[in-house]
Amino acid sequence: MALAVPPGDSQLRHVCVACKHIHYENPKLVVGAIVEWQGRILLCRRAIEPRHGLWTLPAGFMENHESCVEAAQRETMEEACARLVPGPLFALIDVPHISQVHLFYRAALVGGTHAPGAESLETELFDEADIPWDAIAFRSVSFALRAYFSDRSRGQFELHSTVLGPTTPG
Amino acid sequence: MALAVPPGDSQLRHVCVACKHIHYENPKLVVGAIVEWQGRILLCRRAIEPRHGLWTLPAGFMENHESCVEAAQRETMEEACARLVPGPLFALIDVPHISQVHLFYRAALVGGTHAPGAESLETELFDEADIPWDAIAFRSVSFALRAYFSDRSRGQFELHSTVLGPTTPG
């Protein structure tokens, strides 16, 4: 791959020097869900890098030919073997330095059942007081969880948005 | 390019047979704005395919290393030479058969000034009664505009979501 400006374009793109394919790099959507069951929230402890061993909401890269809600449902099934009833979009978090946009939907767990999928060490339903804040895998997950508990305590949910920048080293 | 399942993956991906680069195809974000000035809405008549000659909200493919709001601002500047003050996210429209997610933000036009950019034949501020409904370029734009005028008339805006399927031929 080499960097070049294709004809009619205004930006540098990755172009394969062998097959000439233009590889447009666009931001990727990461979609997940805040899945609630009897007041508790479903978290997954990651069995993969990055952030192996830390806790996250079920979420992952959206695939072609699915909707955002379908992506949240698929990821919840893959990571937590859990079915959800989707609710409204709750958080949109830009992470421009890694060209990602994270979406989290509100959702209800079906039947209270969950189990670790291939990418999870364990899954667990947490009361707000027991959330392992010091062991959350991603800042976007912490942002979404804090906003969720804040909205829930005042009895009104709205869409929350933020832009996360790079963390300061050290 | 050929289709193959990379090691550790579960899906077919496009892999360059020459350089072995794995080309992950993920849904693309198209981001735009419903830009209002003194009650009127900014539309652009397209100078490019697809939908050459039809009217659209300023919108386009999000680029790496920008936020969603920055993408809406950039596209509005590129297509309508217009500056906006961004508001909340107003619409999220899945278009899974073409693997796109369209976002539209509410926004206020700065100074009332606009002019066609390189991709527009003309730009114009429309009263609701004058919107060229039969000449709107994309269904997601029609959806967002109708929801916008509906919310505006009742004096309360909320996030609107939908999933658009393929159109029936004929």
Side-chain angles (χ1 to χ4, degrees), chain A:
Chain A
M1 303 290 268
L3 283 167
V5 179
D9 203 339
S10 60
Q11 303 225 11
L12 282 171
R13 309 290 179 183
H14 286 92
V15 181
C16 177
V17 292
C19 75
K20 308 299 184 196
H21 181 84
I22 302 166
H23 181 72
Y24 289 96
E25 296 269 3
N26 294 95
K28 292 194 195 304
L29 279 158
V30 172
V31 186
I34 304 171
V35 186
E36 186 169 323
W37 174 257
Q38 296 179 343
R40 289 177 293 160
I41 303 299
L42 180 62
L43 296 182
C44 309
R45 201 155 74 83
R46 290 173 63 80
I48 55 173
E49 295 295 344
R51 309 281 192 271
H52 183 283
L54 299 185
W55 292 90
T56 186
L57 291 165
F61 287 108
M62 189 175 175
E63 295 278 0
N64 275 356
H65 307 301
E66 66 184 357
S67 68
C68 293
V69 165
E70 288 169 345
Q73 291 175 308
R74 178 182 50 74
E75 291 290 345
T76 301
M77 178 55 69
E78 288 177 5
E79 298 183 357
C81 304
R83 285 177 52 218
L84 58 79
V85 177
L89 181 65
F90 178 71
L92 185 156
I93 300 146
D94 284 290
V95 199
H97 66 286
I98 54 171
S99 298
Q100 293 183 1
V101 177
H102 296 191
L103 303 180
F104 292 102
Y105 285 82
R106 289 164 54 203
L109 181 60
V110 174
T113 56
H114 61 91
E119 299 182 358
S120 302
L121 297 170
E122 55 183 317
T123 56
E124 191 171 331
L125 290 163
F126 285 94
D127 282 317
E128 179 180 355
D130 300 326
I131 296 281
W133 292 110
D134 293 339
I136 298 293
F138 304 106
R139 287 182 294 154
S140 63
V141 170
S142 297
F143 172 85
L145 282 172
R146 289 189 195 282
Y148 187 87
F149 291 125
S150 174
D151 277 15
R152 194 174 71 171
S153 71
R154 68 188 175 97
Q156 190 179 334
F157 291 94
E158 58 185 43
L159 178 67
H160 293 261
S161 297
T162 194
V163 180
L164 296 178
T167 47
T168 315

Side-chain angles (χ1 to χ4, degrees), chain B residues 100-144:
Chain B
Q100 293 183 0
V101 177
H102 296 190
L103 304 180
F104 292 102
Y105 284 82
R106 290 164 54 203
L109 181 60
V110 173
T113 56
H114 60 91
E119 299 182 357
S120 302
L121 297 169
E122 55 183 316
T123 56
E124 191 171 330
L125 290 163
F126 285 94
D127 282 316
E128 179 180 354
D130 299 325
I131 296 282
W133 292 109
D134 294 339
I136 298 294
F138 304 105
R139 286 181 296 154
S140 63
V141 170
S142 298
F143 171 85

Side-chain angles (χ1 to χ4, degrees), chain B residues 4-16:
Chain B
V5 178
D9 202 340
S10 60
Q11 302 225 10
L12 283 170
R13 309 291 179 183
H14 286 91
V15 181
C16 177

Side-chain angles (χ1 to χ4, degrees), chain B residues 140-157:
Chain B
S140 63
V141 170
S142 298
F143 171 85
L145 282 172
R146 289 189 195 282
Y148 186 87
F149 291 125
S150 173
D151 277 14
R152 195 174 71 171
S153 71
R154 69 188 175 98
Q156 190 179 333
F157 290 95

